[in-house]
Amino acid sequence: MDKKILLDENEMPDRWYNILPDLPEPLPPPLDPETNEPVAPEKLLAIFPMELLKQEMSGERYIKIPDEVLEIYRLWRPTPLIRAERLEKFLKTPAKIFYKYEGVSPPGSHKPNTAVAQAYYNAKEGIERLTTETGAGQWGSALAFATRLFEMDCRVYMVKASYHQKPYRRVLMELWNAEVIPSPSNMTESGKKILDRDPENPGSLGIAISEAVEDAVKNENTNYSLGSVLNHVLLHQTIIGLETKKQLEIAEAKPDVMVGCVGGGSNFAGLVYPFIKDGDVDFIAVEPEACPTLTKGEYRYDFGDTAGLTPLLKMYTLGKDFIPPPIHAGGLRYHGDAPTLCLLVRHGIVRAEAVSQIDTFEAGKIFTETEGIVPAPESTHAIRVVIDEALKARQNNEEKVIVFNLSGHGHFDLKAYQDFMEGKLT
Ligand SMILES: *Cc1c(COP(=O)(O)O)cnc(C)c1O
């Protein structure tokens, strides 16, 4: 069998998969916090383009990918599916391990799969500027990259702690001409309110979302763009799983276990949603113990941001005011998760596991030594569980097929690896 299973450009899927019609029960709708009624789509038009709102609520199982988006995807897609044979040997496991590698995109993660689509639909509807938030900087850099390709302006509210911890991602965003503002900032009312109370506030994704949404509401030519959680974001990521499906067919392998890390749920959903209907797969969503949304959160309606500007979403949540400890996997520090993923966890179709930071970096080190790729700290959460599953397979002598998403590379996270190597992680 080939180590690397590649698709030709012309084998790239030309439609996304929408899970909404295949959920075990209808998705509880987003609620307007003022009325507690389902939010009127017109209200959301202040910050989202029509086409994305249609996708958000669509009942169509497949949605065509526009040619302009496909053309940009071809800069790095289809991405490889790689058999982790050296990792298997190291673990002495009979399991076959495959990983889908999304780190080959220009910003280095899966996130441009949706950033490009979102920039496209906004530009097509005459929007000239996008705002967003970013934690570790991956989403900000993906949107900076995508807006540049469509010649739009971009402002990124970056969680202040990361702004200082991760200067190189900021430089990357600025290279793509985005404006990067440490959040909380004085640029918005929500930012000012927080700074008045607590000038040293290190920021959070929830706060940065409040700022980016407020900016978009106040500026006519500006929309807001979200990098995870929403249905249309997860939809765009399904290109990952649709490609993986074709690649596994080529490899003549049927997955028994599929694993992904979860921040808001988009890369996990992107990989596994196209497989959910097939059944008979152990789908494992992995989150940090420090931000245990799916494993310890409450299933209820909550705001997506801290200021309470967004509609209420039914999800597992740690509460909108939750400020996670500053772990290195900045992309996994959100207080909620995608409503569709939460529903699948609720129904036991997906199960969730939480892992500790040190265990994930150990897994990342093993992966780097065996497979050669330095994984993003977020992705090491998936790798930790893959290794544990492969060791279980060894104990039980099972020839399982384990597939996971390597959501990004860790080249901008070497400081975190340095701390790990020097024993400074907690
Ligand atoms: C943002 C990010 C994540 C987490 O976000 P999801 O929406 O849960 O996918 C995971 N891995 C990488 C590399 C990221 O950049």
Side-chain angles (χ1 to χ4, degrees):
M1 193 197 291
D2 289 345
K3 174 154 182 70
K4 227 153 95 202
I5 303 142
L6 301 170
L7 295 176
D8 286 339
E9 277 182 29
N10 60 18
E11 291 173 295
M12 190 164 77
D14 59 2
R15 39 186 212 168
W16 294 299
Y17 167 66
N18 176 21
I19 197 161
L20 289 183
D22 293 326
L23 289 174
E25 65 171 292
L27 193 67
L31 298 183
D32 188 330
E34 280 167 22
T35 61
N36 258 350
E37 295 290 320
V39 70
E42 303 81 65
K43 263 200 158 171
L44 297 175
L45 275 175
I47 56 169
F48 293 116
M50 188 49 125
E51 203 53 40
L52 290 179
L53 288 178
K54 278 193 198 152
Q55 291 181 358
E56 189 64 22
M57 292 170 276
S58 172
E60 297 287 320
R61 190 163 281 123
Y62 290 98
I63 293 176
K64 191 180 164 353
I65 306 176
D67 289 340
E68 293 86 339
V69 172
L70 285 174
E71 188 201 310
I72 294 176
Y73 277 178
R74 284 193 198 101
L75 289 173
W76 72 96
R77 307 207 72 87
T79 61
L81 182 75
I82 301 170
R83 172 88 185 267
E85 276 175 317
R86 297 175 61 91
L87 177 61
E88 292 167 17
K89 280 208 187 91
F90 173 82
L91 298 173
K92 300 190 178 68
T93 178
K96 292 191 176 108
I97 303 174
F98 294 89
Y99 60 96
K100 181 70 166 163
Y101 186 38
E102 290 293 308
V104 292
S105 76
S109 77
H110 65 288
K111 290 200 169 78
N113 295 332
T114 185
V116 168
Q118 292 190 43
Y120 166 78
Y121 290 116
N122 276 290
K124 204 171 158 219
E125 293 181 29
I127 294 296
E128 296 163 337
R129 178 174 176 267
L130 290 178
T131 60
T132 196
E133 72 291 337
T134 198
Q138 278 123 327
W139 169 242
S141 47
L143 195 69
F145 160 76
T147 46
R148 186 73 336 250
L149 296 178
F150 290 102
E151 294 172 16
M152 304 170 83
D153 293 331
C154 181
R155 179 185 277 177
V156 181
Y157 291 91
M158 184 171 189
V159 175
K160 200 173 274 171
S162 309
Y163 183 91
H164 296 298
Q165 238 181 36
K166 310 209 164 175
Y168 295 127
R169 280 240 170 72
R170 184 180 91 213
V171 175
L172 187 61
M173 289 183 259
E174 288 170 348
L175 275 172
W176 279 312
N177 266 5
E179 188 191 357
V180 187
I181 311 283
S183 162
S185 79
N186 278 317
M187 304 259 178
T188 64
E189 292 310 312
S190 17
K192 275 185 214 150
K193 237 187 246 166
I194 285 164
L195 287 177
D196 281 351
R197 256 184 313 177
D198 175 14
E200 301 304 315
N201 190 299
S204 71
L205 271 184
I207 295 170
I209 295 176
S210 300
E211 292 206 271
V213 169
E214 185 185 324
D215 185 325
V217 169
K218 284 185 177 159
N219 291 290
E220 188 63 34
N221 70 343
T222 302
N223 268 351
Y224 165 71
S225 182
L226 191 62
S228 189
V229 176
L230 297 181
N231 300 338
H232 67 264
V233 178
L234 275 56
L235 169 81
H236 301 150
Q237 293 296 352
T238 57
I239 184 131
I240 300 171
L242 292 166
E243 282 180 8
T244 302
K245 236 178 180 178
K246 290 189 174 191
Q247 288 162 311
L248 286 173
E249 273 166 30
I250 295 170
E252 295 178 4
K254 202 190 140 303
D256 298 299
V257 182
M258 295 187 88
V259 186
C261 65
V262 172
S266 77
N267 88 86
F268 177 82
L271 175 72
V272 316
Y273 279 10
F275 291 84
I276 294 255
K277 264 192 303 179
D278 304 351
D280 221 18
V281 180
D282 187 11
F283 299 109
I284 313 176
V286 191
E287 60 185 13
E289 273 177 1
C291 189
T293 314
L294 293 171
T295 48
K296 298 243 173 82
E298 266 182 79
Y299 189 60
R300 62 172 168 89
Y301 272 102
D302 195 9
F303 290 101
D305 68 326
T306 303
L309 299 177
T310 68
L312 296 161
L313 299 173
K314 183 88 179 264
M315 58 187 177
Y316 284 98
T317 175
L318 296 165
K320 72 177 175 54
D321 297 316
F322 177 76
I323 296 190
I327 53 165
H328 285 289
L332 306 185
R333 299 174 67 223
Y334 186 58
H335 69 270
D337 271 321
T340 53
L341 174 59
C342 295
L343 191 76
L344 291 166
V345 169
R346 188 87 180 153
H347 281 259
I349 295 168
V350 169
R351 72 185 169 95
E353 278 191 33
V355 291
S356 83
Q357 175 159 261
I358 288 181
D359 291 348
T360 64
F361 275 95
E362 267 165 12
K365 177 82 162 52
I366 292 172
F367 192 82
T368 305
E369 284 186 55
T370 51
E371 293 297 313
I373 297 173
V374 183
E378 289 82 1
S379 315
T380 61
H381 288 67
I383 297 171
R384 173 75 261 163
V385 167
V386 166
I387 290 176
D388 293 345
E389 289 293 315
L391 292 175
K392 257 192 251 165
R394 176 171 91 184
Q395 244 172 19
N396 305 333
N397 201 21
E398 287 173 310
E399 262 194 47
K400 283 198 168 166
V401 173
I402 304 173
V403 181
F404 76 97
N405 197 26
L406 186 53
S407 51
H409 67 63
H411 296 175
F412 288 102
D413 303 283
L414 294 180
K415 177 71 177 66
Y417 278 98
Q418 181 183 21
D419 288 353
F420 168 71
M421 303 282 277
E422 291 173 357
K424 288 185 191 156
L425 286 193
T426 46

